[in-house]
Amino acid sequence: MKITRDLYQGSLALLTDFYQLTMAYAYWKSGKAEQEAVFNLFFRKNPFQSGFTIAAGLDYVIDYCRNFKFDENDLSYLGAMEQADGTPTFDPAFIQYLRELTFSCDIDAVEEGSVIFPNTPMIRVKGPLLQCQLLETPMLNIINFQTLVATKAARITLEAKGDPVLEFGLRRAQGIDGALAASRASYIGGCSSTSNVMAGKLFGIPVSGTHAHSWIMAFESEMAAFEAYAAAFPDNCIFLVDTYDTIKGVKNAIKVGNALKANGKKLLGVRIDSGDLAYYSNMARELLDEAGFTDTKVVASNDLDEHILSSLKMQEASIDIWGIGTKLVTAYDQPALGAVYKMAALKDENGNWVPKVKVSQQSIKINIPGYHNVKRFYKNDKAISDMIYLEDGKELSKELTIIDPYDPTKRKKINPDSIESKDLLVPIFKNGQKVYSRPKLEEIRNRTLTNLGRFDKAHKRLINPHIYPVGLEESLYHLRTDLVLKAKNYS
Amino acid sequence: MKITRDLYQGSLALLTDFYQLTMAYAYWKSGKAEQEAVFNLFFRKNPFQSGFTIAAGLDYVIDYCRNFKFDENDLSYLGAMEQADGTPTFDPAFIQYLRELTFSCDIDAVEEGSVIFPNTPMIRVKGPLLQCQLLETPMLNIINFQTLVATKAARITLEAKGDPVLEFGLRRAQGIDGALAASRASYIGGCSSTSNVMAGKLFGIPVSGTHAHSWIMAFESEMAAFEAYAAAFPDNCIFLVDTYDTIKGVKNAIKVGNALKANGKKLLGVRIDSGDLAYYSNMARELLDEAGFTDTKVVASNDLDEHILSSLKMQEASIDIWGIGTKLVTAYDQPALGAVYKMAALKDENGNWVPKVKVSQQSIKINIPGYHNVKRFYKNDKAISDMIYLEDGKELSKELTIIDPYDPTKRKKINPDSIESKDLLVPIFKNGQKVYSRPKLEEIRNRTLTNLGRFDKAHKRLINPHIYPVGLEESLYHLRTDLVLKAKNYS
């Protein structure tokens, strides 16, 4: 097995759950493979008890759909599958059907870097049932993770209040793509750079880094190590000062800093990677200031997250730059988002859309039926409410009522003509053809920052954020209630 | 950007932290690039408060090292990097050095599927400083994650006491490789199958799956959906029964089961994916037994982990097969292992090995110096102790004393001649050439099960496991203490 080649060179069409293929086969056998359906991808709760979520991963999904094709290697694997009695799992005619299958769905989605909330569709897929189904697992895999990490990064950078946040999680990330996708999502969420050189190369993210403890240990003394590093990189001197003794390390850095100064160069920073960061950063700041290195930055790292960062800020730690790895790239306190992908409507033999609902003993697991979109309303340039509504061609009422699906006594009345609004789902594919122009990563990152700026700070609070109102347009609310009651046999 | 092609087709040489490259450059500038060093990869704590850890990921590391080569694309990316003043970051002669660089290290490692413990080396790398350094990040990325998931899988399958455990985490895994590597590691840890078809194809893991809620929703009624599925897969009928009402679902499954029976087929199982699993599994069992389906299995899923599984077993839930996704593949309660890679020795100009230690204010962060191996001792076929010892060519004493590095009053005396023992590190590469024969995944999985069988159950307990004794051979203990005291300036 060659990771580089065998693992990813071929198609990713089999990056799906086996049950998608058994269902695909059974749809095909039942004559339902081409029946049109609508599925929505959404999550039920903001991660990390956050007041918001940042959408990410769409570009990967676009790439996945554009390249969606079973190759001969995939087909011979599927063709060779056997049931317990030795007969083939799949009919050869089905294998041929898969061979000829071409992606032909409509996809609408929330753009990357958008601020989003629970229960609203992030991706809406309309197309043949069989295709909608095969796309479920890879889409969830991609969107769940990147959205999770982008949200984490946004929470961290908000707490950093403008200080640069460096992502360096590669060594603790969950697999190779777990690292690469995390670097991408961290940048979308607001990080300044990554340590992952491959992510730098592939995505154009700025890379950063200087040296490790091993650099110090490779020399006779810390001083010798700093001097050798300065000789190689006089313009990139951020010295790691805690290999043996942090205070002595800062003093050694200052000595080398004086030599750099004498040559017209600068000591850019010192990095502290262990011990009490509040205490040592203040000590370092004092020593640096006393020695005239007032511009030299203090970089801190060591299992930081948004909570520790916020606490260090409150303690007035003298930290200018934050290095964050594990807790960011694995989304440590909640390592999975839990987004789902549910059927919302199915076209019947007469060409009519039939809205669909999945009932559950757990109320939160009941989905929102119908072909719908989300409208965001703004007042004085601040977002005030999101409304999920049926996109059925009918004009919206002038007196909209938005109803909270989990507490129908929570309502909001809005006159859509008197207020700025926009639909969050935008067209990505029409009949399998891309109609969306993919933005650069830098633009996506800017969108995150701009979009976050349009929300009240109460929603961005670290702990106990104010809940942003998201509801169903009245007629959708009633449709859903009726369908659930019917499914539960109360009507 | 094409995920499939651009992301992984080329070399993975840049899958490393930028500081590895700045250090590589500075080593090269200082004339230290080829100085021989020894680095050890190890972790400091078992994950999940487990009493043991299962090694995994080595096969990826072997693959990584065998294919280690900067390609022209990598080199032009590095060559184009600029410092703040616009001058190139790296000297063109260094780029040429990287172009010609060929992997030439010795690597010894613990085999995959081995039971291992904190502070003992999992991988020992000996070779030119520059190469040792570049390998740090990718090795940690690979080993940290796969070891974590294999350990989680072993904990889950131990609690399942022989019941099959199906891994189906793809949709919640951290990225594409986060899923594939997790499927591989889950199988190593003892899972029976994966839902991830691509993992099935690439690694030869058995795949499993039947249908989702959407299958039911695509039909007029649950009965119609079950019947259509049975028509397509009469030999693979495990029906998901909780789309609308679990009890009614089981009753419908039984009706279709009777039709299957009439055709000489079997209802293999019913799956419950929500609600109270103890209650509903017992209800399902009763209904199935009453209807004569005593062989039909009950499959349960819904955010399970080893603790919930164990609790369901204690409650005598009638669950025969366990489907586990999110909590397994993301190692939810501890999504990063935190293994590190530390310099242990460096060869001086005279060709003598100088042991190296990194001191820290945090005692647990002080590494074990020297070129060492680990010996495991067995008594009555049970492992009783691991000993880290200097592999310096000297014969071991007949009266070994093993000392706990964190509590030197904990000691164990062993006569190595009177007792079975084996070294855990085995040769993988010699001078960059592979000398290890890579086992099949199936063999690795068997090794896990066999190895776990050689440990007392006290170490495998879910909560508060008995700590397995791991210590330093006396002379290594004294070497380490002396070096630390010296580094702290006490001697």
Side-chain angles (χ1 to χ4, degrees):
Chain A
M1 195 267 301
K2 284 183 185 165
I3 301 171
T4 343
R5 292 161 189 87
D6 298 356
L7 216 57
Y8 299 101
Q9 195 172 34
S11 95
L12 290 177
L14 294 188
L15 187 77
T16 197
D17 288 312
F18 186 58
Y19 78 8
Q20 310 289 8
L21 283 158
T22 52
M23 284 193 280
Y25 181 63
Y27 283 134
W28 177 81
K29 288 273 271 192
S30 324
K32 291 174 85 74
E34 317 263 335
Q35 188 173 354
E36 263 206 296
V38 175
F39 281 76
N40 290 315
L41 191 155
F42 60 95
F43 56 90
R44 295 174 179 132
K45 273 175 72 180
N46 288 315
F48 323 119
Q49 302 185 38
S50 170
F52 65 90
T53 294
I54 300 293
L58 179 61
D59 202 55
Y60 267 55
V61 167
I62 293 174
D63 185 69
Y64 187 89
C65 292
R66 290 185 81 188
N67 294 292
F68 182 78
K69 194 81 201 154
F70 288 91
D71 69 15
E72 288 306 315
N73 190 290
D74 296 335
L75 295 168
S76 58
Y77 174 74
L78 296 177
M81 282 187 146
E82 288 179 356
Q83 304 191 84
D85 64 357
T87 59
T89 304
F90 302 109
D91 190 319
F94 176 68
I95 301 292
Q96 183 59 25
Y97 180 86
L98 293 183
R99 180 175 286 116
E100 289 164 12
L101 189 67
T102 312
F103 171 68
S104 66
C105 298
D106 287 0
I107 293 187
D108 294 78
V110 170
E111 293 188 278
E112 291 190 276
S114 300
V115 176
I116 48 165
F117 300 95
N119 300 309
T120 59
M122 287 181 71
I123 300 185
R124 183 179 71 193
V125 183
K126 189 176 96 172
L129 194 44
L130 180 144
Q131 288 186 43
C132 289
Q133 203 79 74
L134 290 176
L135 292 174
E136 171 174 8
T137 320
M139 278 193 184
L140 285 171
N141 175 270
I142 292 166
I143 296 291
N144 262 324
F145 180 52
Q146 294 197 35
T147 298
L148 189 71
V149 174
T151 307
K152 189 76 175 170
R155 280 168 63 77
I156 291 170
T157 48
L158 280 170
E159 291 309 312
K161 301 188 193 305
D163 294 347
V165 176
L166 322 176
E167 174 271 310
F168 48 35
L170 172 54
R171 66 187 56 198
R172 304 281 166 83
Q174 299 206 342
I176 296 169
D177 183 61
L180 290 166
S183 296
R184 180 178 187 276
S186 297
Y187 191 65
I188 288 176
C191 287
S192 308
S193 70
T194 180
S195 71
N196 184 340
V197 190
M198 195 164 162
K201 185 181 82 162
L202 290 169
F203 305 122
I205 305 171
V207 297
S208 64
T210 53
H211 70 84
H213 295 119
S214 55
W215 174 264
I216 307 297
M217 292 161 72
F219 289 81
E220 272 306 299
S221 68
E222 193 178 54
M223 267 302 282
F226 288 167
E227 283 165 352
Y229 191 85
F233 283 112
D235 294 304
N236 184 25
C237 284
I238 297 179
F239 294 131
L240 182 57
V241 291
D242 68 344
T243 305
Y244 303 117
D245 178 304
T246 305
I247 301 303
K248 287 185 196 155
V250 175
K251 289 180 181 164
N252 283 335
I254 287 172
K255 281 183 210 155
V256 181
N258 283 320
L260 284 165
K261 234 185 216 170
N263 290 313
K265 300 291 183 184
K266 275 172 72 174
L267 175 63
L268 296 185
V270 295
R271 179 158 79 94
I272 306 169
D273 186 44
S274 62
D276 190 304
L277 296 179
Y279 176 80
Y280 284 108
S281 67
N282 287 334
M283 291 289 282
R285 183 74 273 153
E286 243 173 70
L287 290 167
L288 288 166
D289 287 351
E290 274 170 23
F293 290 91
T294 50
D295 283 353
T296 298
K297 307 290 186 196
V298 176
V299 186
S301 52
N302 194 15
D303 272 345
L304 299 177
D305 65 9
E306 65 271 42
H307 298 284
I308 299 175
L309 195 160
S310 163
S311 156
L312 285 165
K313 282 262 179 198
M314 283 207 292
Q315 294 169 65
E316 300 183 320
S318 303
I319 298 169
D320 307 295
I321 300 175
W322 307 81
I324 306 204
T326 316
K327 300 282 167 78
L328 168 58
V329 301
T330 65
Y332 205 87
D333 54 335
Q334 188 192 319
L337 177 60
V340 295
Y341 179 88
K342 293 291 169 192
M343 185 189 290
L346 194 65
K347 208 174 241 179
D348 67 13
E349 309 84 69
N350 309 316
N352 298 319
W353 281 107
V354 182
K356 290 280 179 179
V357 78
K358 186 221 162 285
V359 183
S360 172
Q361 265 113 359
Q362 296 163 262
S363 302
I364 199 178
K365 283 197 164 186
I366 301 175
N367 68 307
I368 298 165
Y371 187 72
H372 55 257
N373 202 331
V374 196
K375 207 177 271 300
R376 177 161 297 163
F377 295 102
Y378 297 89
K379 204 168 175 175
N380 304 327
D381 205 44
K382 289 280 183 223
I384 54 158
S385 183
D386 286 6
M387 175 185 81
I388 307 171
Y389 70 99
L390 288 166
E391 209 173 44
D392 50 9
K394 288 186 206 146
E395 218 176 307
L396 284 175
S397 150
K398 302 290 171 205
E399 261 285 303
L400 289 170
T401 303
I402 309 176
I403 306 178
D404 184 322
Y406 303 106
D407 178 358
T409 65
K410 280 194 190 161
R411 297 176 178 220
K412 203 177 194 103
K413 286 199 183 294
I414 277 176
N415 176 347
D417 289 342
S418 70
I419 195 171
E420 187 196 343
S421 72
K422 74 163 193 175
D423 282 336
L424 296 190
L425 292 179
V426 302
I428 310 294
F429 287 96
K430 284 276 176 212
N431 300 315
Q433 296 302 309
K434 187 170 74 71
V435 293
Y436 178 70
S437 156
R438 296 157 83 171
K440 292 214 174 92
L441 198 61
E442 188 64 38
E443 292 168 46
I444 297 174
R445 182 174 184 271
N446 289 337
R447 182 184 294 133
T448 306
L449 303 176
T450 313
N451 278 351
L452 276 171
R454 298 191 76 185
F455 282 82
D456 192 276
K457 65 181 179 185
H459 304 304
K460 295 180 274 191
R461 195 184 295 138
L462 198 57
I463 293 166
N464 286 336
H466 185 53
I467 294 170
Y468 179 80
V470 176
L472 307 186
E473 188 277 325
E474 198 170 6
S475 60
L476 177 56
Y477 175 80
H478 292 305
L479 170 72
R480 181 173 186 261
T481 308
D482 292 349
L483 284 173
V484 174
L485 289 174
K486 200 175 146 201
K488 289 189 172 174
N489 283 321
Y490 287 123
S491 70
Chain B
M1 198 268 301
K2 285 181 182 166
I3 300 171
T4 344
R5 291 161 191 85
D6 298 354
L7 215 55
Y8 300 102
Q9 196 172 34
S11 96
L12 292 177
L14 295 189
L15 188 76
T16 196
D17 288 312
F18 186 58
Y19 79 7
Q20 309 290 5
L21 283 158
T22 51
M23 283 192 281
Y25 181 63
Y27 283 133
W28 177 80
K29 288 272 271 191
S30 324
K32 291 175 83 76
E34 317 263 335
Q35 187 173 356
E36 263 206 297
V38 175
F39 282 75
N40 289 314
L41 190 155
F42 60 95
F43 56 91
R44 295 173 178 131
K45 274 175 71 180
N46 288 314
F48 323 119
Q49 302 184 36
S50 170
F52 65 89
T53 294
I54 301 293
L58 179 62
D59 202 55
Y60 268 55
V61 167
I62 293 174
D63 186 69
Y64 187 88
C65 293
R66 290 186 78 187
N67 294 292
F68 182 79
K69 194 82 199 152
F70 289 92
D71 68 16
E72 287 305 317
N73 190 290
D74 297 336
L75 295 169
S76 56
Y77 173 74
L78 295 178
M81 282 186 146
E82 288 179 357
Q83 302 191 86
D85 65 356
T87 59
T89 304
F90 302 109
D91 190 318
F94 176 69
I95 302 291
Q96 183 58 25
Y97 180 86
L98 294 183
R99 180 175 285 116
E100 288 164 13
L101 189 68
T102 311
F103 171 68
S104 66
C105 298
D106 286 1
I107 293 187
D108 294 80
V110 170
E111 293 189 277
E112 293 191 275
S114 299
V115 176
I116 48 165
F117 301 94
N119 300 310
T120 59
M122 287 181 70
I123 301 185
R124 184 180 70 194
V125 182
K126 189 176 95 172
L129 193 45
L130 181 143
Q131 287 187 45
C132 289
Q133 202 80 73
L134 289 176
L135 292 174
E136 171 174 10
T137 319
M139 278 193 183
L140 284 171
N141 174 270
I142 293 165
I143 297 290
N144 261 324
F145 180 53
Q146 294 197 35
T147 298
L148 189 71
V149 174
T151 307
K152 189 75 174 172
R155 280 168 63 78
I156 292 170
T157 48
L158 279 170
E159 292 308 312
K161 299 186 195 307
D163 295 347
V165 175
L166 321 177
E167 173 271 310
F168 48 33
L170 172 54
R171 65 187 57 197
R172 304 280 167 82
Q174 299 205 342
I176 296 168
D177 183 60
L180 290 166
S183 296
R184 180 179 187 273
S186 297
Y187 191 67
I188 289 176
C191 288
S192 307
S193 70
T194 180
S195 71
N196 185 340
V197 189
M198 194 163 161
K201 184 181 82 161
L202 290 169
F203 305 123
I205 305 171
V207 297
S208 64
T210 53
H211 70 84
H213 295 119
S214 56
W215 174 263
I216 308 296
M217 292 161 73
F219 289 81
E220 270 307 297
S221 67
E222 191 179 56
M223 267 303 281
F226 286 168
E227 283 166 350
Y229 191 84
F233 282 112
D235 294 305
N236 184 25
C237 285
I238 297 178
F239 295 131
L240 182 57
V241 292
D242 67 345
T243 305
Y244 304 117
D245 178 304
T246 305
I247 300 303
K248 287 183 194 155
V250 175
K251 289 179 180 164
N252 283 335
I254 288 172
K255 281 182 208 156
V256 181
N258 282 321
L260 284 165
K261 233 185 218 172
N263 292 313
K265 301 294 184 184
K266 275 173 72 175
L267 175 63
L268 295 186
V270 295
R271 179 159 77 94
I272 306 170
D273 186 42
S274 62
D276 190 303
L277 296 178
Y279 177 79
Y280 284 107
S281 67
N282 287 335
M283 292 288 283
R285 184 75 272 151
E286 242 174 68
L287 290 167
L288 288 166
D289 287 351
E290 275 170 21
F293 290 91
T294 50
D295 284 353
T296 298
K297 305 292 185 195
V298 176
V299 187
S301 51
N302 192 16
D303 273 342
L304 299 176
D305 65 9
E306 65 271 41
H307 298 284
I308 300 175
L309 196 161
S310 163
S311 157
L312 285 165
K313 283 263 180 195
M314 284 207 292
Q315 295 168 64
E316 299 183 320
S318 302
I319 298 169
D320 308 295
I321 299 174
W322 308 82
I324 304 204
T326 315
K327 300 283 167 78
L328 168 58
V329 301
T330 65
Y332 205 87
D333 53 337
Q334 189 192 318
L337 177 61
V340 294
Y341 179 88
K342 294 289 170 196
M343 186 189 288
L346 193 65
K347 208 175 241 179
D348 68 13
E349 309 84 68
N350 307 317
N352 297 320
W353 282 106
V354 182
K356 289 281 177 177
V357 79
K358 186 220 162 285
V359 183
S360 172
Q361 264 113 358
Q362 296 164 261
S363 302
I364 198 177
K365 283 197 165 187
I366 302 176
N367 68 306
I368 298 164
Y371 187 73
H372 54 256
N373 202 330
V374 195
K375 206 178 270 300
R376 176 161 298 163
F377 295 103
Y378 297 90
K379 202 168 175 175
N380 304 324
D381 205 42
K382 290 280 184 222
I384 55 157
S385 184
D386 285 7
M387 175 186 81
I388 308 171
Y389 70 100
L390 288 165
E391 208 173 45
D392 51 9
K394 288 186 208 147
E395 219 176 308
L396 284 174
S397 148
K398 301 291 173 205
E399 262 285 304
L400 288 171
T401 303
I402 309 177
I403 307 179
D404 184 322
Y406 303 106
D407 178 358
T409 64
K410 280 194 188 163
R411 297 176 179 223
K412 203 177 194 102
K413 286 200 183 293
I414 278 176
N415 175 348
D417 288 343
S418 71
I419 195 171
E420 187 195 344
S421 72
K422 74 163 192 177
D423 281 337
L424 296 190
L425 293 179
V426 303
I428 310 294
F429 287 96
K430 284 276 176 210
N431 300 315
Q433 295 304 308
K434 187 170 74 70
V435 293
Y436 178 70
S437 155
R438 296 158 81 172
K440 292 214 174 92
L441 197 61
E442 189 64 37
E443 292 169 45
I444 297 174
R445 182 174 184 270
N446 289 337
R447 182 183 295 131
T448 306
L449 303 175
T450 312
N451 278 351
L452 277 171
R454 298 191 77 184
F455 282 82
D456 192 276
K457 65 181 180 188
H459 305 303
K460 295 180 275 192
R461 196 184 296 138
L462 198 57
I463 295 167
N464 286 336
H466 185 53
I467 293 170
Y468 179 81
V470 176
L472 307 187
E473 188 277 324
E474 198 170 6
S475 60
L476 176 57
Y477 175 81
H478 292 305
L479 170 72
R480 181 173 186 261
T481 308
D482 293 348
L483 283 173
V484 174
L485 289 174
K486 200 175 147 202
K488 290 188 173 175
N489 284 322
Y490 288 122
S491 72

